[in-house]
Amino acid sequence: GLLQDAVHGGASVGFLAPLASEAARQSWQDVFRTVDSDRLLWVAERDGQLLGTVQLQSCARDNGRHRAEVQKLLVHTQARGQGVAGSLMRAVEGEACAQGLRLLVLDTLRGSQAEQVYGHLGWQRAGEVPDYAAAPDGELFPTVIFFKQL
C-alpha cells in the first residue's frame, strides 16, 4: 500500500500509474531479497501502521567505497508533515557515518515535494538532468541531483 500510495501521489520511484498490487508486492519482494550489508532498508511505523521507508545503497566500486546512494524515500500521504522523512533520513545519515561513509547522493524529480524536503534537511543541490525520468503519469521530468557530505 505504501508504494502504491507514493506512485499514485506522483512520486517517481520507478513505476507508472496505476500501480497494480501484485507489481507493488513483487517490488518489495525484490527489495527484501537484495537487502544485505551493501543495501540497507529502514522502516518507520507507528501502532502497526507503515508510515515510510528509505534505502541506502553503498557503492561497490573500489574508488567509491566512501559514498552511497539514498534511494526511494517513501512517506505515506497520511503521515506527511509529521517528521517521518526527517527521522528516516537522520537514521540513514547516522548509519552512513557509522560505516565511515563521507558522501551521500540522491536524485528526485524537479518540482516535487521531495525536492523541498531534501533542501530543508540540509542537502545541497548539485544540478539537474533534463527528461531523466517519467512521472507516474508518463510525462518526462528533469531530475535534481542532491548530495550531502558527512
Side-chain angles (χ1 to χ4, degrees):
L2 176 64
L3 183 56
Q4 288 177 299
D5 176 72
V7 171
H8 297 158
S12 176
V13 290
F15 300 94
L16 298 177
L19 177 60
S21 295
E22 184 54 36
R25 189 175 302 107
Q26 182 63 50
S27 175
W28 282 115
Q29 290 172 349
D30 293 345
V31 169
F32 296 143
R33 269 196 296 278
T34 61
V35 169
D36 60 17
S37 62
D38 291 329
R39 183 181 195 146
L40 304 175
L41 170 70
W42 283 262
V43 176
E45 62 179 331
R46 183 181 326 124
D47 301 325
Q49 294 291 335
L50 182 61
L51 304 178
T53 65
V54 68
Q55 299 170 44
L56 183 68
Q57 177 71 54
S58 296
C59 182
R61 306 227 185 263
D62 287 342
N63 71 344
R65 297 211 183 271
H66 65 287
R67 71 176 187 260
E69 181 180 4
V70 174
Q71 300 173 340
K72 292 182 178 45
L73 174 64
L74 306 175
V75 176
H76 197 281
T77 52
Q78 295 178 351
R80 292 185 183 160
Q82 299 175 24
V84 175
S87 294
L88 287 166
M89 292 300 286
R90 282 189 294 280
V92 166
E93 292 169 17
E95 178 61 24
C97 284
Q99 289 186 21
L101 298 173
R102 297 194 322 257
L103 178 67
L104 297 178
V105 296
L106 62 81
D107 69 270
T108 192
L109 283 185
R110 184 183 71 191
S112 67
Q113 186 177 7
E115 182 180 5
Q116 296 174 13
V117 168
Y118 297 130
H120 177 75
L121 294 174
W123 285 68
Q124 301 296 309
R125 190 178 198 275
E128 62 183 63
V129 180
D131 294 340
Y132 184 79
D137 66 3
E139 183 180 351
L140 292 177
F141 277 86
T143 195
V144 178
I145 309 296
F146 282 92
F147 69 92
K148 191 166 199 179
Q149 293 180 296
L150 304 173

